[in-house]
Amino acid sequence: MDIKILIATHKNSRMPNSMPYCPIQVGAALHEPLSIQGILRDDQGDSISRKNPNYCELTALYWGWKNLSSNYLGLVHYRRYFAGVRRQGDKWARIATRNDLEQALKACPVILPKKRRYWIETTYDQYVHAHNAQDLDKTREILARKYPDYLPAFDQVMKSTSGHRFNMFVMRRDLLDRYCSWLFDVLFTLEAELDISSYSPNDARVFGFVSERLLDVWVETNHIVYKEIPYLFMEKQNWLRKGGAFLKRKFIGKS
């Protein structure tokens, strides 16, 4: 299989040293080149590299969509990878291999990470407690106007207490083309209509955050068959601190 997995990164970091992984510098138009061997840049050819402060890893997705021709294209993050079948040992040895991915893609055309579960609040509530409600409310208005067939899935996803996060996936090219055409049309429209001039640097990453919630909307509306794979955090996670911050946002609000 002709598979390429883009690893979005903005810093020099350890990377898998074998195909199908391809590190790519996001926001490359705004920063000095990284020194990772063989790294790609998201500012060459058709690109939206300068939008990286607002689009996060989606500048890598856009670049791959427009400039690569592989039959399957995936997106991961320098701190997060799909896990392979190996469950023991060093994390770097447990990252999904080409064979792991090929076996999954023989069964279905899309790979997604295991759903993240919030348990005590919905996708909509979790988002507005951490960011700004108008981001999702305006997105719904745009869907109602441009893609009304997607509204039932959008409302269902907003009420769900779980979802596929991190903008991580591997997709067959024809599906990727359909997904990216829809996704970036929605996000570019949202960008034109949403005033983020008063947003904090974190909240200004809005289009990357919204896209995380839109993936399931597209998957459900189009009845996409997919396989879920566990994911690995490459850096140590302080789950006590993360859980405390989650509860604080829910009951007190974001600071």
Side-chain angles (χ1 to χ4, degrees), residues 41-214:
R41 297 172 58 91
D42 73 349
D43 63 343
Q44 300 174 341
D46 190 346
S47 77
I48 57 170
S49 180
R50 292 187 178 276
K51 294 181 183 289
N52 179 254
N54 308 121
Y55 278 74
C56 310
E57 61 276 349
L58 294 186
T59 60
L61 174 62
Y62 184 92
W63 185 89
W65 171 43
K66 291 294 188 177
N67 296 283
L68 295 178
S69 59
S70 54
N71 294 334
Y72 292 86
L73 186 65
L75 181 65
V76 294
H77 190 273
Y78 77 99
R79 294 183 300 179
R80 290 185 295 270
Y81 294 89
F82 286 109
V85 296
R86 181 175 178 178
R87 294 290 186 263
Q88 303 296 324
D90 177 78
K91 283 185 178 181
W92 290 94
R94 292 160 51 199
I95 294 173
T97 65
R98 174 188 288 277
N99 184 64
D100 293 331
L101 298 170
E102 287 184 351
Q103 292 304 311
L105 292 169
K106 285 178 181 178
C108 57
V110 174
I111 296 172
L112 297 177
K114 289 285 188 181
K115 283 187 175 182
R116 193 170 193 178
R117 302 189 181 279
Y118 299 108
W119 304 110
I120 61 174
E121 63 181 1
T122 65
T123 291
Y124 182 86
D125 290 339
Q126 185 276 331
Y127 187 96
V128 301
H129 289 151
H131 306 294
N132 297 283
Q134 65 176 350
D135 304 346
L136 295 180
D137 295 343
K138 176 61 71 173
T139 299
R140 191 183 191 282
E141 292 177 16
I142 291 167
L143 291 177
R145 186 170 75 243
K146 301 189 72 172
Y147 298 101
D149 290 348
Y150 285 78
L151 275 183
F154 181 86
D155 291 340
Q156 177 184 349
V157 167
M158 291 300 106
K159 294 175 183 177
S160 173
T161 57
S162 65
H164 299 105
R165 296 291 180 261
F166 312 126
N167 289 318
M168 286 177 63
F169 53 80
V170 184
M171 287 191 191
R172 196 175 65 204
R173 168 59 64 169
D174 60 318
L175 296 179
L176 180 89
D177 288 342
R178 288 168 53 192
Y179 173 60
C180 287
S181 295
W182 173 82
L183 175 68
F184 285 107
D185 183 50
V186 172
L187 294 179
F188 290 160
T189 305
L190 180 62
E191 181 182 14
E193 298 182 10
L194 186 67
D195 181 8
I196 65 170
S197 59
S198 63
Y199 279 20
S200 68
N202 184 58
D203 285 343
R205 299 162 63 196
V206 51
F207 309 112
F209 295 147
V210 169
S211 69
E212 288 186 80
R213 282 75 186 174
L214 287 179

Side-chain angles (χ1 to χ4, degrees), residues 199-232:
Y199 279 20
S200 68
N202 184 58
D203 285 343
R205 299 162 63 196
V206 51
F207 309 112
F209 295 147
V210 169
S211 69
E212 288 186 80
R213 282 75 186 174
L214 287 179
L215 175 58
D216 282 339
V217 176
W218 182 81
V219 166
E220 294 301 323
T221 299
N222 292 284
H223 308 291
I224 302 299
V225 179
Y226 60 86
K227 180 177 178 62
E228 289 187 345
I229 290 182
Y231 51 88
L232 297 168

